[in-house]
Amino acid sequence: HLACPMNALPRGGPLRSVQDVWEEFSLSFTPAVREVVEFARHIPGFQNLTQQDQVTLLKAGTFEVLMVRFATLFDVHERSLRFLSGATYSLPELQAMGMGELLSSMFDFSEKLASLNLSQEELGIFTALVLVSADRSGMENASLVEQLQETLIRALRSLILKNTPNDTSRFTKLLLRLPDLRTLNSMHSEKLLSFRVDA
Ligand code: HEM
């Protein structure tokens, strides 16, 4: 089986080769990854970064963008997780598939994000910020990326202040989700690596 919600289903039919499992999995996550690339192209200023830096940010940040985009797959109240096909599994079922600490960290993240009740516009700028805040190791033009990050932070802050002027902690709470995403990213990368090694 391949127990990632970006898979259509956690398990396919019997007797399938590792290659088949991966092939089917990539059919299911590739459209989502393409959407991230398309989204990036629409961030004002992203295409002014060097080609190499655009690629570096996308490589480092695509998972984090997808995590924000698909946080709603985690149903915090029902304690269940929906896979891309729509099939939904309860927490005990997921644990029986071998999911554990990462799963519960993702539930926590999704709950915190949902509690902020972001509007579509807020979510859009936040998602752009997530991508531009990705791991910067090996940037060609780090200061250009930093400038874009600052522009996005300012835009997000003024939008949030405008939308919820009486909730002064909302902006800070949102920014604190960035390090959460970084942690989820590295925990998830380990799963991905060990899956490849076991396969
Ligand atoms: C686990 C790949 C994106 C949530 C895994 C595993 C792989 C994988 C190979 C290990 C499966 C196993 O051991 O059976 C990928 C790829 C992604 C991606 C290639 C991007 C294209 C995501 C996203 C989320 C997510 C965006 C959340 C919305 C999970 C969860 C697990 C998992 C919850 C199981 C965690 C656990 O064992 O506790 N992923 N994943 N993945 N992934 Fe993903």
Side-chain angles (χ1 to χ4, degrees):
H1 68 246
L2 200 161
C4 171
M6 299 302 286
N7 206 0
L9 288 166
R11 45 183 121 247
L15 295 176
R16 291 183 325 147
S17 67
V18 176
Q19 283 86 341
D20 285 353
V21 170
W22 265 109
E23 205 164 293
E24 201 177 285
F25 181 46
S26 64
L27 283 179
S28 118
F29 72 69
T30 300
V33 171
R34 290 230 175 86
E35 279 176 36
V36 177
V37 176
E38 194 54 28
F39 173 78
R41 296 197 328 113
H42 288 90
I43 300 171
F46 191 82
Q47 302 209 71
N48 301 336
L49 305 178
T50 71
Q51 200 72 33
Q52 189 57 49
D53 287 351
Q54 294 180 34
V55 171
T56 305
L57 289 176
L58 280 164
K59 277 192 185 166
T62 292
F63 167 81
E64 293 176 36
V65 169
L66 289 175
M67 183 69 234
V68 172
R69 160 104 165 67
F70 289 103
T72 50
L73 294 178
F74 296 81
D75 188 324
V76 177
H77 297 292
E78 297 290 331
R79 297 257 110 197
S80 65
L81 173 60
R82 191 155 39 84
F83 279 59
L84 278 194
S85 62
T88 302
Y89 298 84
S90 69
L91 196 53
E93 286 173 313
L94 298 164
Q95 282 159 347
M97 291 172 203
M99 293 198 194
E101 197 196 342
L102 174 55
L103 179 73
S104 58
S105 305
M106 287 184 178
F107 269 111
D108 291 345
F109 172 84
S110 303
E111 186 168 22
K112 287 183 205 159
L113 190 67
S115 75
L116 292 169
N117 273 313
L118 296 184
S119 70
Q120 280 308 108
E121 199 184 359
E122 289 166 346
L123 193 62
I125 301 179
F126 176 65
T127 308
L129 179 61
V130 166
L131 185 62
V132 168
S133 306
D135 183 10
R136 297 278 172 71
S137 37
M139 282 290 135
E140 265 179 359
N141 190 338
S143 71
L144 203 55
V145 182
E146 241 161 69
Q147 272 172 40
L148 179 53
Q149 183 184 37
E150 277 160 23
T151 304
L152 290 167
I153 290 177
R154 271 196 302 273
L156 188 59
R157 185 174 48 215
S158 62
L159 181 64
I160 287 187
L161 282 177
K162 177 175 74 93
N163 291 347
T164 43
N166 298 323
D167 189 348
T168 47
S169 66
R170 196 159 167 261
F171 175 65
T172 316
K173 282 184 189 147
L174 184 53
L175 286 193
L176 285 172
R177 304 289 68 84
L178 292 173
D180 290 355
L181 283 166
R182 201 57 82 80
T183 305
L184 293 177
N185 195 354
S186 71
M187 289 173 83
H188 182 270
S189 295
E190 274 170 40
K191 287 278 164 195
L192 210 157
L193 273 178
S194 61
F195 185 85
R196 283 173 175 273
V197 171
D198 294 344

